[in-house]
Amino acid sequence: MRLELSAEDQAFREEMRGFFTTEVPQEIRSTVLEGRELSRDQIVTSQRILNAAGLAVPHWPVDDGGRDWTDLQRHIWHEEMQQAGVPAPLAFNASMIGPVLAQFATPEMKRRFLPATANLDIWWSQGFSEPDAGSDLAGLRTTAVRDGEDWVVNGQKTWTTLGQYGDWIFTLVRTDPEAKKQSGISMLLIDMTSPGLEVRPIELIDGGHEVNEVWFTDVRVPGENLVGEVNQGWTMAKFLLGNERVGVAPVGAVKRALARAKQLAGAQLDDPLTRARVAELENQLLALELTALRVVANSADGAPHPASSVLKLRGTELQQAVSELILDLAGPASLGARGAEDSDLPGWARRSAPTYLNLRKASIYGGSNEIQRQIIARTILGL
Amino acid sequence: MDFSLDDEQVALRDAVRSLVTKTYGDFEQRRRASAAEPGYDESLWRQLAEMGVLGLPFAEDDGGMGAGPVEVALVAAELGRVLAPEPFLASVVLAGGAVAAAGTADQRSELLGALASGERLLALAHEETVPVTASRSGEGWSLTGTKEPVLHGARADLLVVSAALPDGGTGLFLVEGTDAETDGYRTYDGGRAARVRLRDAPATALGEPGADQATTLAGVLAAARLAACHEALGGMEAALAATTAYLKSRKQFGVTLNTFQALNFRAADMYVSLELTRSIVDWATMVLATGDPARAGEASARAALQTSRAGRHIGQEAIQLHGGIAMTAEYLVGNITAHLTVLDHLLGDGRQHLGTLMTGVGDYEALDPLDPTMRSTSSQ
Ligand SMILES: Cc1cc2nc3c(=O)[nH]c(=O)nc-3n(C[C@H](O)[C@H](O)[C@H](O)COP(=O)(O)OP(=O)(O)OC[C@H]3O[C@@H](n4cnc5c(N)ncnc54)[C@H](O)[C@@H]3O)c2cc1C
């Protein structure tokens, strides 16, 4: 057992820290650090800066623009990025469809999509969930029927995050209604400007608009937009969802949020109950961070450590707990969330309740925390 | 950062595991050993001595094996897994640790050699009910006051006693077991403790006479706290393993209990607690191995806080998921929970550690386990 980072990893860490804190505009990082909402442009700008330096998709295969980093280096990259307030590369592009295309697509499809995906020239949306297909995703009903060279798609997707910005959407569609649930599904890439495709906003409890419904009415999709083989979509979906879980523990971001909470607390930090709450959270976060380090240290052969579900589960719980702490620190000032633009209430306090409400999502998406418990119970404990 | 064990460490763990499993693999044997005096299996203790386990953390010059906190941790975890009542923590880690840290070269080689060979049993008397004070008496010292609870205090041949010095500060002293009035009893987890009354008991200073050993003692307690955390981890692991096995085999309503998802989820949460605790305890052990006392003190408090929380959680859930059987004295799981409770209160409990940690909370921005100072103020 060895405690410190090797000199090499330490140098790597400093290199990352240096890059993130000097090359990404302060204004973008402040937006993240202060918990304000990023604009589409800010997300795009930031990702392009990272991509130009080879830092947007380091976890992709080297031939597709990735870097041959160790798991620990990837972890450090991710942590430093979050700590510096650099928006993570758009997950739909970098962690979801990119790796799937790198793994399953034809060379031609890769050439067409991967560079644009890494550079966020294409903004991807994830079209998996449907009103009747949530945790039980294989219950999806949106259909794609072959018509000559094309597929004709009909149905409805929901919860499509940032679909209002989307250029393309990767979808799971039912291509064999006769087959057993999982085996009749295919993955299609759909241009969101296609006729018959409509994006409708959903307002969330925080008052924001980050998710949408996506409706398909006789949308024609060229046959070549099928990823992999027909009816093999479930294999790709599982691959994608596996990656989603591994990258989802927001350790760096929660650490930054807790540090900020201490700053915001001001004189409230003299209150023993508040201090105790902070100290308790800090210790839990320390245990989580160390677990993340253990997981990366032990997944050197590429397969994720089984304990990665622990990271998703506890990471999102702590993320929620910290947002709840900040909400409580704000107290009555939190009621001013939708008050006048020039409110005298501090901005952080006004943002605290929407953030707290918004973060309830963290334990629902990316495989809900109940699904993570199921994974632990089944695959780790053998129950 | 590397959490893996080297080959020698794995070999040590496997050897200890196979030895203690031979003795206590069947829980009935543990019950028998803890029912009879001195509360543990003396032949196992001798075998541990032969394997070098009792001298593990001490310098080779002092008759030990020259190993470090990681090796101590491995042994503690294996003992915890089978709930072995042997006084490894009390005698080797606590009392031996105090002698190693504070004793003169002569004291170290005499006492640690005898401890390592299993010839003498040492106990540390630190917790007290009537403050123990030291006064000079002729060439030596004499101690008055009452210590309790003293782990294995009645069986010990030699007591290492902390006492208030006449000029302030805390001294450490050696008192022969026969010079103290000891009333031994069973603790609620089947262990042994004693009240130790000292009335002008003749004592020898451990280390330089009259020197304040408070810092040294704090270091010994921090190291022991971590060993206790590993012992607890071993116990928690065993409790979870027993619980999952039980859920898979126990039938009610015509099906095995693992048919009920509510129960599986609670087991999953036990696993989460266990893994998080292992991470922080292993980390703190690596911090201890760096030999920086300030860092080690804090890291051990952090590990102990997490262990306290997880011990309560896993212990309580293990009993609940087993139902009535876990309430019986002959069943492992309830006994693990009792022992976890003892370990929690032995060297400062969760509330106390939280109290220490919360006082410093405003002094730094974030904790950083990879930074030698542990504190980060760099995330602007
Ligand atoms: C803000 C937000 C953004 C999202 N973004 C996207 C997106 O961009 N693209 C996309 O495709 N999807 C997205 N999702 C959808 C998300 O993946 C689903 O919400 C999620 O899979 C859960 O499905 P559900 O909401 O239908 O809940 P349900 O599956 O109906 O679950 C309801 C409750 O029951 C529990 N539950 C369900 N099954 C089980 C079981 N077997 N055992 C125990 N408990 C169970 C769940 O954990 C949950 O608590 C988003 C969701 C949210 C909230």
Side-chain angles (χ1 to χ4, degrees), chain B residues 63-284:
Chain B
M65 304 286 286
V70 175
E71 286 76 13
V72 169
L74 295 174
V75 173
E78 293 310 319
L79 295 174
R81 199 190 300 277
V82 294
L83 219 56
E86 274 57 26
F88 179 74
L89 184 66
S91 197
V92 175
V93 183
L94 277 168
V99 173
T104 62
D106 282 348
Q107 286 172 329
R108 291 200 310 267
S109 61
E110 186 204 325
L111 299 176
L112 297 179
L115 169 61
S117 66
E119 211 177 300
R120 300 193 83 181
L121 193 79
L122 275 59
L124 178 76
H126 177 54
E127 294 293 329
E128 56 194 14
T129 50
V130 180
V132 172
T133 53
S135 49
R136 289 187 191 271
S137 122
E139 290 288 276
W141 296 78
S142 85
L143 304 184
T144 298
T146 305
K147 293 282 183 180
E148 185 178 357
V150 178
L151 290 182
H152 294 275
R155 165 70 183 79
D157 313 300
L158 187 70
L159 298 163
V160 180
V161 185
S162 60
L165 293 167
D167 304 328
T170 305
L172 286 170
F173 297 88
L174 300 171
V175 174
E176 289 295 332
T178 46
D179 289 331
E181 277 173 47
T182 56
D183 301 302
Y185 52 85
R186 285 183 62 158
T187 48
Y188 60 78
D189 64 337
R192 290 296 184 279
R195 175 178 64 182
V196 175
R197 275 200 283 223
L198 303 162
R199 297 186 222 252
D200 291 327
T204 316
L206 182 65
E208 195 193 322
D212 183 3
Q213 309 270 22
T215 314
T216 308
L217 183 60
V220 171
L221 296 176
R225 198 174 290 131
L226 274 174
C229 288
H230 285 283
E231 202 176 321
L233 268 174
M236 291 190 259
E237 212 177 292
L240 176 59
T243 305
T244 53
Y246 192 74
L247 290 177
K248 281 190 267 189
S249 58
R250 169 75 171 165
K251 278 191 165 178
Q252 288 295 289
F253 302 100
V255 290
T256 51
L257 291 179
N258 68 336
T259 318
F260 302 111
Q261 193 187 50
L263 305 183
N264 293 350
F265 277 20
R266 290 169 75 164
D269 282 333
M270 291 164 73
Y271 174 78
V272 172
S273 275
L274 176 66
E275 288 297 332
L276 292 169
T277 308
R278 190 191 310 288
S279 302
I280 201 165
V281 172
D282 281 353
W283 163 79

Side-chain angles (χ1 to χ4, degrees), chain A residues 231-242:
Chain A
N231 294 333
Q232 292 300 304
W234 194 247
T235 311
M236 290 168 258
K238 275 196 305 192
F239 177 84
L240 183 152
L241 296 171

Side-chain angles (χ1 to χ4, degrees), chain A residues 1-6 9-10 13 17 21 26 29 33 72 76 83-85 255-256 258-260 262-263 269 271-273 275-280 282-284 286-294 297-298 305-307 309-310 313-314 317 369-374 376-377 380-383, chain B residues 1-6 9 70 73-74 230 240 243-245 247-248 258 261 263-269 271-272 274-280 282-287 290 295 301-303 305-306 309 354 357-372 376 378-380:
Chain A
M1 298 211 252
R2 190 167 43 94
L3 182 60
E4 263 88 30
L5 290 178
S6 68
D9 287 328
Q10 187 57 36
R13 170 151 129 148
R17 188 171 292 183
T21 50
Q26 179 66 47
R29 296 195 299 115
L33 294 171
L72 180 58
I76 293 170
Q83 287 268 29
K255 205 162 137 177
R256 198 191 63 223
L258 186 55
R260 188 153 164 276
K262 281 164 56 167
Q263 250 171 33
L269 210 51
D271 164 27
L273 291 179
R275 284 184 101 85
R277 192 166 162 194
V278 170
E280 193 95 56
E282 243 171 27
N283 221 46
Q284 291 173 13
L286 178 65
L288 180 74
E289 180 171 6
L290 289 161
T291 305
L293 285 164
R294 262 178 71 210
N298 292 335
H305 187 280
S309 280
V310 171
L313 193 54
R314 280 306 280 158
E317 284 175 355
N369 284 10
E370 286 70 36
I371 296 300
Q372 304 306 326
R373 286 188 175 88
Q374 184 88 315
I376 293 172
I380 303 180
L381 301 180
L383 288 170
Chain B
M1 200 80 175
D2 179 4
F3 285 87
S4 54
L5 300 175
D6 65 29
Q9 290 165 339
V70 175
L74 295 174
H230 285 283
L240 176 59
T243 305
T244 53
L247 290 177
K248 281 190 267 189
N258 68 336
Q261 193 187 50
L263 305 183
N264 293 350
F265 277 20
R266 290 169 75 164
D269 282 333
Y271 174 78
V272 172
L274 176 66
E275 288 297 332
L276 292 169
T277 308
R278 190 191 310 288
S279 302
I280 201 165
D282 281 353
W283 163 79
T285 307
M286 291 189 262
V287 172
T290 64
R295 267 182 99 190
R302 293 197 173 282
L305 172 59
Q306 171 67 25
R309 299 290 186 257
L354 180 61
L357 295 173
M358 72 184 237
T359 50
V361 140
D363 303 343
Y364 54 90
E365 197 165 284
L367 292 174
D368 185 350
L370 294 177
D371 190 305
S376 139
S378 61
S379 55
Q380 295 312 308

